[in-house]
Amino acid sequence: MKKTLAQLSTLAAAAALFAGCASAPTVTPGLQQARSTVRSAEADPAVLKYASLDVKKAGDSLKRAEELSANRESPADIDSAAYIASTQARTAMALAKAATEEEAIKAAEADRERARADANARRANVAQAQAANAQIAAANASADANAARQQAATAQADAAAAQAQAAALQQELAELQAKQTDRGMLVTLGDVLFEFGRAEIKPTAQNAIGKLANYLKQHPDRRVLIEGFTDSVGSDQANLTLSQRRSQAVADALRAQGVDPARVDTRGYGEAYPVASNASTADRALNRRVEVYISNDNQPVRARG
């Protein structure tokens, strides 16, 4: 009885083992080899580049072998499919190797051709350089002479331009009837700048203001003093205020033309310092004026008195 129970236990264990083995795929050494070979081929960039169709066939054959393995077909059938997959993968790798070597040979030949071409080019360049050196040596003296002539011509042109600019500025000052005084260059702007009794500059006076501003911008080191005057009509205080407003109006106009206001000072003297009697209309018109003094250097213009 004990022997029968032991036999039954052994048979049950064997049955369980058989059942477990029956559910697992059949993996043969040939299938394992095929897996390794196909994976190596698929991981090789050269194979994918030169034998992509062949490696695809190998993958398809390996898939067939895997299906036979999963279905637990006979090891002979599995190995047959695996052998085909391995052979196709090795063929793909062989084709890729051959193509890579052929490409390397072509590249080496191209490199040799380029090397020969480079050597020929270098020899030609040496010959050209030798010829050019002789020409350069001959041209250097001529170039030096041309450079000297060009420098002289440039200096003459600069001097002429400076003279022309100075002449143009002097002409503008002449048109403004500028006069040299012991306090600097004097430009007198008559009452044509303003309406009677007002301090707003007339539009027609902008041309004269523009010429004065242009001269000052060309001489940025010069200082300016603007003095305003009136005739004797009206009270002293009203005339003083009006003269100050008129001198400031001229300063503001110069600033609007780009003259730095830090260079400009203003004074208003009312009816003081007349240049004519106030007995007639014509004389009073002469006294209604703005005088602009331009310094001879970078120092402020000396005040009156």
Side-chain angles (χ1 to χ4, degrees):
M1 180 66 176
K2 292 181 180 179
K3 183 175 181 180
T4 302
L5 291 174
Q7 290 174 343
L8 290 174
S9 178
T10 301
L11 290 173
L17 178 62
F18 178 78
C21 293
S23 62
T26 302
V27 180
T28 66
L31 178 58
Q32 292 177 336
Q33 180 63 43
R35 288 173 177 172
S36 176
T37 305
V38 172
R39 287 170 184 166
S40 296
E42 290 175 339
D44 190 336
V47 173
L48 297 178
K49 179 178 180 181
Y50 296 109
S52 59
L53 182 59
D54 296 274
V55 78
K56 182 181 182 304
K57 291 179 180 179
D60 292 341
S61 297
L62 178 61
K63 182 179 180 182
R64 173 60 181 160
E66 296 286 5
E67 291 173 351
L68 293 173
S69 173
N71 293 331
R72 299 183 298 282
E73 299 292 342
S74 68
D77 291 340
I78 295 172
D79 282 343
S80 176
Y83 175 77
I84 293 173
S86 295
T87 301
Q88 289 172 331
R90 286 192 292 270
T91 300
M93 288 188 286
L95 291 172
K97 181 179 180 182
T100 301
E101 291 175 349
E102 183 179 358
E103 187 174 83
I105 291 172
K106 290 181 179 179
E109 291 176 349
D111 289 341
R112 285 194 294 273
E113 289 299 323
R114 283 194 293 270
R116 283 194 291 269
D118 290 344
N120 291 335
R122 285 193 294 270
R123 286 192 289 271
N125 289 337
V126 169
Q128 291 176 353
Q130 290 173 343
N133 285 338
Q135 294 177 349
I136 291 172
N140 280 339
S142 177
D144 291 341
N146 288 337
R149 286 193 293 270
Q150 182 63 37
Q151 290 176 351
T154 300
Q156 292 175 353
D158 290 343
Q163 291 175 353
Q165 186 180 50
L169 293 173
Q170 290 298 329
Q171 178 62 33
E172 290 181 356
L173 285 179
E175 292 175 2
L176 293 172
Q177 298 180 348
K179 298 178 181 178
Q180 184 65 49
T181 72
D182 59 348
R183 298 173 62 204
M185 188 76 70
L186 169 62
V187 175
T188 300
L189 304 175
D191 68 345
V192 293
L193 291 179
F194 308 97
E195 296 289 349
F196 178 77
R198 300 186 66 84
E200 295 81 15
I201 297 177
K202 294 180 181 179
T204 54
Q206 292 300 325
N207 184 45
I209 296 293
K211 290 180 179 180
L212 179 59
N214 185 50
Y215 180 85
L216 294 176
K217 286 187 290 186
Q218 294 298 327
H219 295 81
D221 58 326
R222 303 295 176 87
R223 302 289 296 272
V224 181
L225 175 60
I226 303 174
E227 299 177 339
F229 304 91
T230 68
D231 58 22
S232 61
V233 177
S235 68
D236 291 345
Q237 185 57 48
N239 286 336
L240 180 63
T241 300
L242 179 60
S243 66
Q244 290 173 337
R245 289 173 57 203
R246 286 183 169 180
S247 64
Q248 187 60 49
V250 174
D252 292 342
L254 292 176
R255 180 182 60 188
Q257 293 278 348
V259 178
D260 183 359
R263 301 167 54 198
V264 181
D265 295 319
T266 60
R267 297 284 189 279
Y269 292 102
E271 60 189 75
Y273 304 105
V275 294
S277 72
N278 287 292
S280 66
T281 300
D283 287 346
R284 286 193 294 273
L286 293 175
N287 289 329
R288 295 192 298 268
R289 70 196 187 279
V290 172
E291 294 183 355
V292 180
Y293 285 89
I294 304 171
S295 68
N296 295 321
D297 49 30
N298 60 356
Q299 298 300 312
V301 176
R302 176 170 50 84
R304 288 176 180 267

